[in-house]
Amino acid sequence: MRESKHFINGEYLDSPDSPPLANYSPVTGQQIGIIHNGGEQEVDLAVSAARNALEGEWGQLSVNQRIELLYKVADRINERFDEFLEAECADTGKPYSLASHIDIPRGAANFKVFADTVKNVPNEAFEMATPDGGSALNYSQRVPKGVIAVICPWNLPLLLMTWKVAPALACGNTVVVKPSNETTLSTCLLGEVMNEVGIPKGVFNVVVGKGSRTGDALVRHPGVDAITFTGSTATGEGLMETAAKGVRDISLELGGKNAGVVFADADLDKAVEGTLRSAFANCGQVCLGTERVYVERPIFDEFVQRMTAGAESFTFGKPEDSATTMGPLISKTHRDKVLGYFAKAREEGANVVTGGGVPELPDALKDGFWVQPTIWTGLPEDAVVVREEIFGPCCHIAPFDSEQEVVRLANDTPYGLAAALWTENASRAHRVAGKLDAGIVWVNSWFLRDLRTAFGGMKQSGIGREGGVHSLEFYTELKNICLKL
Ligand code: NAD
């Protein structure tokens, strides 16, 4: 049995007074571990450790010293790659082939990229004339915000957690991380790495447990200076209210109901391959994934046919099997939710082109949280599965007839995270991309990420931008120093 403990001030601690949570393998449905369920006491210890570290050795380090340490964190994750891979896949059930290409390398890369960003970003300076005939020099300085609460979801645990921890530490803050209670293993393992490379105690802390208990205690703690959150829009709304107490800054990376738009002039091979990935990668549990696909009418039938063939070609299996291309959903609760949407689609009159249920699997896998990749057509735009984020391996495909119409359809959602556009016409790509309500628009690609670019959502998909220098806006206070010469 694996045991996920808190990592506070460089040590692993348990919560002896509250019953632990169970950790289940999504692949087999069997219990594989326990997770301590931290409360106010553990959160208080972690926030105090983070505060002390800020005021201690960590706060005294130069930028270059911090950067060197963060490079070592990246190197050490890569040295322990196989352990991170095993931990991540045990928690999520995702195929090794996916996690070894995306989750773990990006987990390490985040530390390198943000270390480089902080090292290379210039400060502004303005020399001004003063009324007495002299001059003054204004220059900016970026100072850390303080103790940052980092709250993460379960779909890309290491990748999304380090996406926030790396810039926070590079900017000189200290952190208390609350991973999802579905996926604690890689975050807890990172504590060992922090100790091994000599990150001072208290700089990186982890509290594990339920969102409504551990997470809530963390965001309410008055010692937390800012909150960075990735998760659902509903939870984000609540955290925003909590952040208002004490006028604390909050960065919100929330849900989406992203559109894919395929014009008849698209390279069909690339559009089908990209849309298959965007709808089904990570078993559809990607915030940037496509759950609504709009296809120009002349190619609609062929596109649906080719998507169907692609959806039916995935191989379910254990994460470590190299043939596996489709893992399970994260939990029984989430599977019940996704199957509820599958039932709703049928009720609302969907044409279930493929999938719509649970696959037949051998005994070793049959108790896992599997669902079939699913494609629907024929639903009206106000159908529940066309409007709500499902976060499963499914999409609805609808035809369109004009550019104007498809922009209206794509934007008819309370969300605004990402969109994928497929066309060989560069003028149209530029024109339509500019009109889509989305923080990220991919043209002829999907999930092509340059970590220096701004990342974040419009409308109910979030507030703020992280990535590259944009992360510095959140993780530092920009101070102006006016020096009379
Ligand atoms: P969630 O909102 O249920 O949970 C996210 C985290 O918040 C978890 O660690 C949870 O324990 C914690 N939490 C829950 N209630 C809390 C509370 N009251 N106080 C403090 N913390 C609390 O989301 P999830 O189900 O883990 O993740 C799926 C969602 O995340 C989807 O909506 C998806 O779109 C979104 N997501 C967004 C992005 C993005 O970059 N925009 C990336 C990944 C996932």
Side-chain angles (χ1 to χ4, degrees):
M1 277 282 162
R2 297 157 195 260
E3 191 177 358
S4 291
K5 296 185 174 194
H6 315 291
F7 180 74
I8 299 175
N9 209 27
E11 284 175 26
Y12 288 96
L13 304 176
D14 41 17
S15 289
D17 301 331
S18 89
L21 309 168
N23 184 9
Y24 296 97
S25 160
V27 174
T28 62
Q30 302 303 310
Q31 187 175 352
I32 54 166
I34 58 162
I35 298 157
H36 288 270
N37 193 8
E40 285 178 5
Q41 201 185 338
E42 294 83 352
V43 165
D44 192 47
L45 277 177
V47 174
S48 304
R51 176 69 53 199
N52 290 340
L54 204 58
E55 289 164 4
E57 189 189 343
W58 181 246
Q60 310 305 319
L61 296 184
S62 67
V63 174
N64 278 345
Q65 287 170 318
R66 282 204 310 265
I67 296 318
E68 287 308 317
L69 280 171
L70 296 183
Y71 284 154
K72 287 185 186 166
V73 174
D75 291 343
R76 193 67 189 134
I77 293 174
N78 282 327
E79 283 162 18
R80 298 185 66 175
F81 192 96
D82 290 348
E83 289 169 78
F84 276 98
L85 183 63
E86 196 278 331
E88 200 73 325
C89 296
D91 259 344
T92 59
K94 64 178 77 185
Y96 277 27
S97 56
L98 180 72
S100 62
H101 278 95
I102 295 182
D103 302 61
I104 315 304
R106 264 286 304 280
N110 282 333
F111 284 98
K112 285 226 158 93
V113 168
F114 286 107
D116 285 338
T117 304
V118 167
K119 196 166 154 185
N120 293 319
V121 80
N123 287 330
E124 62 182 17
F126 297 100
E127 196 170 342
M128 67 184 283
T130 54
D132 62 2
S135 65
L137 182 65
N138 288 284
Y139 63 96
S140 65
Q141 204 179 43
R142 287 196 177 273
V143 295
K145 230 166 213 168
V147 175
I148 312 284
V150 180
I151 306 205
C152 310
W154 43 257
N155 60 327
L156 301 158
L158 183 73
L159 185 159
L160 290 172
M161 181 266 297
T162 53
W163 165 251
K164 291 169 177 298
V165 167
L169 299 190
C171 291
N173 302 282
T174 57
V175 296
V176 180
V177 181
K178 211 303 275 173
S180 165
N181 58 282
E182 305 290 355
T183 51
T184 49
L185 294 173
S186 58
T187 305
C188 292
L189 187 56
L190 189 60
E192 287 183 21
V193 167
M194 295 289 176
N195 279 350
E196 284 166 351
V197 304
I199 296 280
K201 293 187 187 318
V203 170
F204 173 81
N205 306 278
V206 180
V207 287
V208 291
K210 274 279 201 206
S212 53
R213 176 179 155 89
T214 322
D216 186 65
L218 178 58
V219 293
R220 288 186 191 285
H221 197 292
V224 165
D225 296 302
I227 300 160
T228 179
F229 172 78
T230 305
S232 64
T233 297
T235 308
E237 273 181 348
L239 296 199
M240 202 169 169
E241 277 187 53
T242 310
K245 182 87 184 153
V247 196
R248 294 170 303 163
D249 204 355
I250 184 160
S251 169
L252 297 173
E253 296 183 343
L254 307 178
K257 186 74 182 175
N258 310 304
V261 176
V262 187
F263 285 96
D265 67 4
D267 178 323
L268 205 52
D269 289 344
K270 289 185 187 150
V272 169
E273 185 276 334
T275 310
L276 280 168
R277 272 193 302 120
S278 71
F280 301 123
N282 207 32
C283 200
Q285 303 166 117
V286 181
C287 57
L288 305 162
T290 305
E291 291 189 359
R292 299 179 295 142
V293 187
Y294 299 101
V295 181
E296 207 169 359
R297 202 173 297 273
I299 58 162
F300 179 78
D301 289 341
E302 186 181 353
F303 187 86
V304 172
Q305 210 174 38
R306 291 175 67 169
M307 281 289 290
T308 305
E312 289 172 356
S313 71
F314 286 103
T315 305
F316 301 97
K318 291 185 176 166
E320 59 275 21
D321 289 350
S322 57
T324 303
T325 51
M326 175 70 67
L329 292 171
I330 190 71
S331 63
K332 181 175 182 312
T333 310
H334 189 51
R335 185 171 77 159
D336 289 346
K337 179 179 154 187
V338 171
L339 289 178
Y341 279 113
F342 285 11
K344 188 77 192 163
R346 280 192 298 274
E347 231 174 78
E348 288 185 308
N351 173 26
V352 184
V353 182
T354 186
V358 173
E360 294 264 331
L361 290 172
D363 279 358
L365 301 177
K366 71 174 180 10
D367 294 328
F369 312 131
W370 309 89
V371 292
Q372 292 173 316
T374 296
I375 295 175
W376 305 291
T377 58
L379 283 170
E381 284 297 303
D382 61 358
V384 169
V385 301
V386 181
R387 297 212 63 80
E388 296 184 8
E389 183 188 45
I390 300 170
F391 223 52
C394 52
C395 63
H396 178 251
I397 311 182
F400 71 88
D401 293 302
S402 74
E403 205 175 290
Q404 202 185 13
E405 179 195 10
V406 79
V407 168
R408 182 179 54 73
L409 292 170
N411 287 343
D412 183 18
T413 165
Y415 294 108
L417 188 53
L421 190 52
W422 302 89
T423 173
E424 291 296 298
N425 178 333
S427 302
R428 168 185 277 159
H430 179 67
R431 192 168 57 236
V432 174
K435 286 185 185 153
L436 293 175
D437 297 344
I440 304 141
V441 180
W442 278 289
V443 180
N444 297 332
S445 62
W446 179 75
F447 211 101
L448 193 55
R449 292 277 295 118
D450 181 328
L451 303 183
R452 295 168 298 182
T453 60
F455 180 92
M458 294 165 63
K459 304 199 284 195
Q460 291 183 27
S461 289
I463 290 192
R465 293 292 179 269
E466 297 197 29
V469 293
H470 308 283
S471 291
L472 307 195
E473 298 298 323
F474 180 73
Y475 293 106
T476 62
E477 291 287 3
L478 189 60
K479 186 189 282 189
N480 184 65
I481 298 176
C482 179
L483 176 65
K484 175 88 169 68
L485 300 170

